[in-house]
Amino acid sequence: MGRTTLKSLAQALNMSVSTVSKALNDSYEISEATKKRVREFAKKHNYQPNVLAQSLKTGKTQTLGVVLPKMTSPFESQILEGMQQTASQHHYRIVIMNSMEDEELEKQALQSMLDKAVDGILFCPIHESSNIELAGKIMEDTPIVIFDRTNYALETHKIGVLNAEGTYSACKHLLDIGRKRIAVFCGARQGISAIRLSGYERAHQEFDIPIDTEYIVHCNVSSISELHIDMERHIERLLSLPFPPDAIVGVADTITTHLLGVLAKMGVAVPETLAVIGFANTDLAFSLNPSLSTIRQPTRDIGEISVNKLVEVINKRHRNQIAWEDIKLPTSIQFRRSTVGKA
Amino acid sequence: MGRTTLKSLAQALNMSVSTVSKALNDSYEISEATKKRVREFAKKHNYQPNVLAQSLKTGKTQTLGVVLPKMTSPFESQILEGMQQTASQHHYRIVIMNSMEDEELEKQALQSMLDKAVDGILFCPIHESSNIELAGKIMEDTPIVIFDRTNYALETHKIGVLNAEGTYSACKHLLDIGRKRIAVFCGARQGISAIRLSGYERAHQEFDIPIDTEYIVHCNVSSISELHIDMERHIERLLSLPFPPDAIVGVADTITTHLLGVLAKMGVAVPETLAVIGFANTDLAFSLNPSLSTIRQPTRDIGEISVNKLVEVINKRHRNQIAWEDIKLPTSIQFRRSTVGKA
DNA sequence: TTGTACGCGTTATCAT
DNA sequence: ATGATAACGCGTACAA
C-alpha cells in the first residue's frame, strides 16, 4: 500500500489537492464543513504530511544541528538532553554531529549543515578559533548559537557560565574554612581553563594571599592514563614542598573526578591532608568517598537557553542588527565531605 | 546571493540541468571533458546538492532515528557516540528522540519517524511491550533495530548483552573469593532486572548454595532520593539479620554506583563488611573509594553493531525472509578494590 | 468557497 | 553525448 498523500486524499474525497491542503492548514478560504470532512478523513487514514516535501517548499526543515566535541561525559549529555527537550517543545528535531575534538571532523560536520538541511546550528567549538571563517560564512544564511566554549570570536548569541566566578567561589570557600595554600589543577593553558584560573587569582588577591606559582599545575590530559600518571607525579611533588598545599581545586570535570581516584590510590587523606573541590557535573559526586564538593554548571539551562535563543533568531525577520547576547549563567557550589570533612 | 543549484550551474555553463546532474553523478553517458568542466565549476562555486530535494526524489533521507528512554548516564551516551560514529561512516546522520521513560512521549517519537523522514530506526523501548503495535506497523516500511532492552516482542534484529551471564560471573567471582552470602539489589521486578537476577540464581545452583530470599532486594528507583532512602533501609535490615550477607551485587548502573555512596555515608566498610560489585559503565569506577569492581557492557559495540545491522537491512532488497538475529554481546568484569580489597 | 497551475531542486526516462 | 520533460509531495498565487 502506498502512503497517504494530499493527492490520494483529494482523489478519495473527490476534490482538488489544493483544497485538501488548505483545509488541513486551516485556511480561512475553506468552509468549516469541508475542513471538518477533510480533517476527519485524513485522520482516519492517518495522513502524515511528507516533511521533506514541506521543507523543500517552505525552506524550513524544523531541524536544529548540534556540533560538539564529545558527548560521553555527563556534562555534555545533560546539555544535549536539555536541548532535545526544549527543541521538542518548539517542534524542532535535533541532529547531532560529533567533532571528536578534531578540527577536520568539525569542518565536515559544519559543512554538512551547510546544505540547508538545518534551520540553525548549536555549536560548541573545538577551540577559540576553530573553523571560524567557515562558521562566519555559514552564519550568512543559517543562524549559529555558541554554547559552553563561548570564548569564540563569532558575533552571535553565546551561552556559557561564569567560569571565573566558579573557581573564585570555590577558592573563597576554601579560604573561609581555613585552607590558605590552594593548588589548582588545570588542563590546557588556554581557553576555558585559563579563564577559570583567573578566578583563582582574583580570590587570592582579594584575600591578600600571594600566589605560589608552584601551586599552579597544568596536567597532561591527552589520555586518562597519562592524566593519572601526571597527576600522581604532581601530587608527590607538591606534598614534598617545604610548604605543601592543603587544598586542590580542579578546573575541569575529568580532572576533578579522577583527582580523587588518584589521591585515594596514593593513600592521601581527603580532606585531612588535602581538601578537594572542583568543576564536576556528575551525579556520582555523592557516591565518591569522600563525597565530592563540586562546582556545578547549570547544564540543563545551557541547553534550554541555547535552543530558545536560536529559535528566536530563526524566527526573526531581519537578522542584521540583532543585539547579540553573551549570556553567562552562574555556577553553584555544593559542599560535601571532600572539603568540609565529616561535618 | 541565491544558492548554487543545478539550474544556476546549468545556466552559467550553458548546458541543460540534466547534463549537469549526470556529470556530477559521474554518469557513463557524459564525456570526460564535460564532467571535468562541470565538476570544476561546481567546486569553484562550492555547489552543495540540496539534500531535501534529493531525498524527496529518491525516497532516501540518509538519516537514522534513535528513540531511547534517557541519555544522561554514561551508558547511554557511550552507545550514542558509537552509533553516531558508525552512522557517520555509512554517510548517515542521526536524529535523537528522547522518550524519557514515558510511553506517550515514546509514541510521539515513533510517530514522528513515521513521516518518512528517516530511513531506519534504532529503538530502545520503555518496556517489553511499549508501543508494540505501532512499532510493528512502522516496520512494514521502515526497518527497526532494537538495542539494549532486547526483551521486546518484535521480530527484528536485536542487539544487547548477555545480562544473565554478567550477573553470573560477578557472583562466581564473589563465591571464588570466599563470599558465600550474596545479596542482590535489583530495580523493577521485570525486564532486564529479572534476567540479570536469573544469573544470580544459576550461580547459586551451580555452587550448591541455597538462595535466601531475604537477600533479594527490590529497590525503589523512582527517584535518586527515594533510592538512597530505600537502600539505606535495606542495608540496615540485611546487616541485622542473624546471617547478614557479606557481599552485594547491583544489577543496574544507578543502583551499583549509588549503593557505594550510601554505604560510605553509613560507614559500612567495603569490602571488609560488604564486598560490592555490579553493572556500571562509568569511567569513574576507578575514582570511587574503594574503586569499584564492575560488570561492563560493551556500549560502543552495541552502538556500532546496531547501526551496521540497521544499514544492512535498509540496503536489503527483500525485507521479508530476513533471518533476524538476537545478538547478545558478552560483558566484561573488572576487579577492583570493592571486592578484592587492597590486593 | 473551490480549483488550476506552477515551482521548490533533484533524479530518471526518453528523445535527439 | 546531450537535452527536454516528467515526477517526487507540498504550498500558494491566481483564476473561476
Side-chain angles (χ1 to χ4, degrees):
Chain A
M1 65 155 203
R3 283 175 48 75
T4 13
T5 69
L6 281 189
K7 193 197 270 181
S8 72
L9 287 179
Q11 233 153 10
L13 285 165
N14 205 28
M15 26 196 206
S16 83
V17 177
S18 58
T19 308
V20 179
S21 171
K22 285 172 185 167
L24 290 173
N25 287 331
D26 201 24
S27 162
Y28 65 98
E29 10 178 23
I30 302 292
S31 73
E32 269 315 314
T34 28
K35 273 186 195 172
K36 196 178 163 196
R37 233 184 104 213
V38 171
R39 277 202 277 255
E40 277 169 5
F41 193 81
K43 179 140 213 169
K44 192 171 134 208
H45 292 254
N46 68 8
Y47 164 74
Q48 301 278 118
N50 182 321
V51 288
L52 268 55
Q54 262 175 331
S55 300
L56 181 59
K57 182 67 194 171
T58 61
K60 296 270 153 217
T61 60
Q62 295 303 118
T63 301
L64 267 28
V66 182
V67 179
L68 81 179
K70 57 198 270 280
M71 47 188 282
T72 38
S73 90
F75 176 72
E76 291 90 23
S77 30
Q78 284 163 20
I79 291 182
L80 280 177
E81 194 164 85
M83 288 180 171
Q84 212 279 313
Q85 285 173 38
T86 314
S88 193
Q89 287 164 19
H90 290 285
H91 303 287
Y92 278 90
R93 51 177 61 191
I94 279 196
V95 327
I96 297 174
M97 309 287 287
N98 194 334
S99 63
M100 302 188 60
E101 303 278 13
D102 177 296
E103 191 151 0
E104 178 57 28
L105 285 176
E106 184 180 70
K107 185 177 172 185
Q108 288 175 26
L110 289 172
Q111 288 277 15
S112 90
M113 305 274 175
L114 227 165
D115 57 17
K116 250 317 182 195
V118 299
D119 294 343
I121 298 174
L122 298 148
F123 183 30
C124 175
I126 305 284
H127 65 256
E128 293 156 355
S129 58
S130 63
N131 291 300
I132 187 95
E133 357 58 55
L134 177 55
K137 206 163 141 202
I138 292 179
M139 263 206 65
E140 286 172 17
D141 42 45
T142 305
I144 298 181
V145 161
I146 307 293
F147 67 94
D148 184 24
R149 305 190 184 170
T150 55
N151 55 339
Y152 188 71
L154 189 70
E155 280 276 328
T156 185
H157 286 319
K158 293 171 189 173
I159 291 87
V161 301
L162 286 163
N163 284 297
E165 288 288 329
T167 321
Y168 169 83
S169 306
C171 292
K172 183 169 171 349
H173 163 62
L174 289 170
L175 293 166
D176 281 343
I177 61 173
R179 306 279 178 158
K180 306 289 183 193
R181 299 199 301 279
I182 307 173
V184 58
F185 277 41
C186 309
R189 263 159 221 286
Q190 41 166 356
I192 302 279
S193 228
I195 298 173
R196 290 182 181 167
L197 185 54
S198 74
Y200 172 88
E201 287 157 358
R202 184 158 72 82
H204 282 72
Q205 280 163 19
E206 242 171 63
F207 278 71
D208 253 333
I209 297 182
I211 291 177
D212 187 340
T213 52
E214 297 257 36
Y215 286 1
I216 300 181
V217 175
H218 289 277
C219 304
N220 179 348
V221 290
S222 58
S223 79
I224 293 296
S225 53
E226 284 294 332
L227 178 62
H228 283 189
I229 295 168
D230 203 38
M231 277 191 184
E232 190 160 343
R233 210 164 45 78
H234 279 297
I235 293 164
E236 266 172 12
R237 177 178 62 75
L238 288 171
L239 290 182
S240 64
L241 287 175
F243 293 96
D246 53 16
I248 300 182
V249 176
V251 303
D253 287 45
T254 325
I255 291 174
T256 310
T257 51
H258 286 269
L259 174 58
L260 217 56
V262 171
L263 288 171
K265 191 181 154 211
M266 294 174 71
V268 178
V270 177
E272 292 77 9
T273 307
L274 284 170
V276 174
I277 188 171
F279 281 83
N281 264 66
T282 173
D283 288 337
L284 267 59
F286 163 83
S287 288
L288 292 161
N289 191 4
S291 58
L292 177 64
S293 294
T294 51
I295 307 164
R296 268 196 161 261
Q297 304 189 56
T299 43
R300 203 149 238 102
D301 295 341
I302 295 177
E304 183 177 331
I305 296 175
S306 300
V307 169
N308 283 334
K309 283 293 163 195
L310 182 55
V311 170
E312 199 179 301
V313 178
I314 291 174
N315 293 332
K316 198 87 87 188
R317 284 249 160 274
H318 310 288
R319 293 212 185 127
N320 34 347
Q321 64 187 24
I322 293 183
W324 300 119
E325 296 177 56
D326 193 352
I327 300 175
K328 306 266 196 221
L329 303 171
T331 55
S332 60
I333 297 201
Q334 305 212 347
F335 305 123
R336 294 203 184 82
R337 287 181 36 210
S338 71
T339 55
V340 294
K342 297 249 168 186
Chain B
M1 62 154 205
R3 281 174 51 74
T4 9
T5 69
L6 281 187
K7 193 196 269 180
S8 72
L9 288 179
Q11 234 150 12
L13 286 165
N14 204 29
M15 27 193 202
S16 82
V17 175
S18 49
T19 306
V20 178
S21 170
K22 284 172 186 168
L24 290 173
N25 287 329
D26 200 25
S27 163
Y28 67 97
E29 6 176 31
I30 302 293
S31 73
E32 270 315 314
T34 29
K35 273 187 194 171
K36 195 177 165 199
R37 233 184 105 213
V38 172
R39 276 201 277 255
E40 276 170 5
F41 194 81
K43 179 139 214 168
K44 190 171 134 208
H45 291 255
N46 69 7
Y47 164 73
Q48 300 279 118
N50 182 322
V51 288
L52 267 53
Q54 262 173 334
S55 299
L56 180 59
K57 185 63 194 173
T58 61
K60 296 270 152 216
T61 59
Q62 295 302 116
T63 301
L64 267 26
V66 183
V67 179
L68 80 180
K70 57 199 270 279
M71 47 189 281
T72 37
S73 90
F75 175 71
E76 290 90 24
S77 30
Q78 286 163 17
I79 291 181
L80 280 177
E81 196 165 82
M83 288 179 171
Q84 212 279 314
Q85 285 173 37
T86 313
S88 193
Q89 288 164 17
H90 290 285
H91 303 287
Y92 278 89
R93 50 177 60 189
I94 280 197
V95 328
I96 296 175
M97 310 285 288
N98 194 333
S99 63
M100 303 189 60
E101 303 277 12
D102 178 296
E103 191 152 0
E104 179 56 29
L105 286 177
E106 184 180 70
K107 186 177 170 183
Q108 287 175 27
L110 289 173
Q111 288 276 15
S112 90
M113 305 276 174
L114 226 164
D115 55 18
K116 250 316 181 197
V118 299
D119 294 343
I121 299 173
L122 297 148
F123 182 32
C124 175
I126 304 286
H127 64 257
E128 294 154 355
S129 58
S130 64
N131 291 300
I132 186 93
E133 358 57 57
L134 178 55
K137 206 163 140 199
I138 292 178
M139 262 206 67
E140 287 172 16
D141 43 44
T142 305
I144 298 180
V145 161
I146 307 294
F147 68 94
D148 184 25
R149 304 188 184 172
T150 55
N151 55 339
Y152 188 70
L154 190 69
E155 281 275 327
T156 185
H157 286 318
K158 293 171 189 172
I159 291 88
V161 300
L162 286 163
N163 284 297
E165 288 289 329
T167 321
Y168 169 82
S169 306
C171 291
K172 184 168 170 349
H173 164 61
L174 290 170
L175 293 167
D176 281 344
I177 61 174
R179 306 279 178 158
K180 307 288 183 193
R181 297 198 304 278
I182 308 172
V184 57
F185 277 41
C186 310
R189 263 160 222 285
Q190 39 164 0
I192 302 280
S193 229
I195 297 173
R196 291 182 180 167
L197 186 53
S198 74
Y200 172 87
E201 287 158 356
R202 185 157 71 82
H204 282 71
Q205 280 163 18
E206 243 171 62
F207 279 70
D208 253 334
I209 298 180
I211 291 176
D212 187 341
T213 53
E214 297 258 35
Y215 285 1
I216 300 181
V217 175
H218 290 275
C219 305
N220 179 348
V221 290
S222 57
S223 79
I224 293 296
S225 54
E226 284 293 333
L227 178 62
H228 283 189
I229 294 167
D230 204 37
M231 276 192 186
E232 190 160 344
R233 210 164 43 78
H234 279 297
I235 293 164
E236 267 173 11
R237 178 178 61 77
L238 288 171
L239 291 181
S240 64
L241 286 176
F243 293 97
D246 53 17
I248 300 182
V249 175
V251 303
D253 286 44
T254 326
I255 291 174
T256 310
T257 50
H258 285 270
L259 174 58
L260 217 56
V262 171
L263 287 171
K265 191 180 154 213
M266 293 174 72
V268 178
V270 176
E272 293 76 8
T273 307
L274 283 170
V276 174
I277 188 172
F279 281 83
N281 263 66
T282 173
D283 288 336
L284 269 59
F286 163 84
S287 288
L288 292 161
N289 191 5
S291 58
L292 177 63
S293 295
T294 51
I295 307 165
R296 266 196 162 261
Q297 304 188 56
T299 42
R300 204 150 238 102
D301 295 340
I302 295 176
E304 183 176 332
I305 296 176
S306 299
V307 169
N308 283 334
K309 283 292 162 193
L310 182 55
V311 171
E312 199 179 301
V313 178
I314 290 174
N315 292 332
K316 197 87 84 185
R317 284 248 159 273
H318 308 290
R319 292 206 188 134
N320 33 346
Q321 61 185 29
I322 293 182
W324 300 120
E325 295 176 56
D326 194 351
I327 300 175
K328 306 265 194 222
L329 303 171
T331 55
S332 61
I333 297 202
Q334 307 212 347
F335 304 122
R336 295 201 185 83
R337 288 182 33 213
S338 70
T339 54
V340 294
K342 297 248 169 186

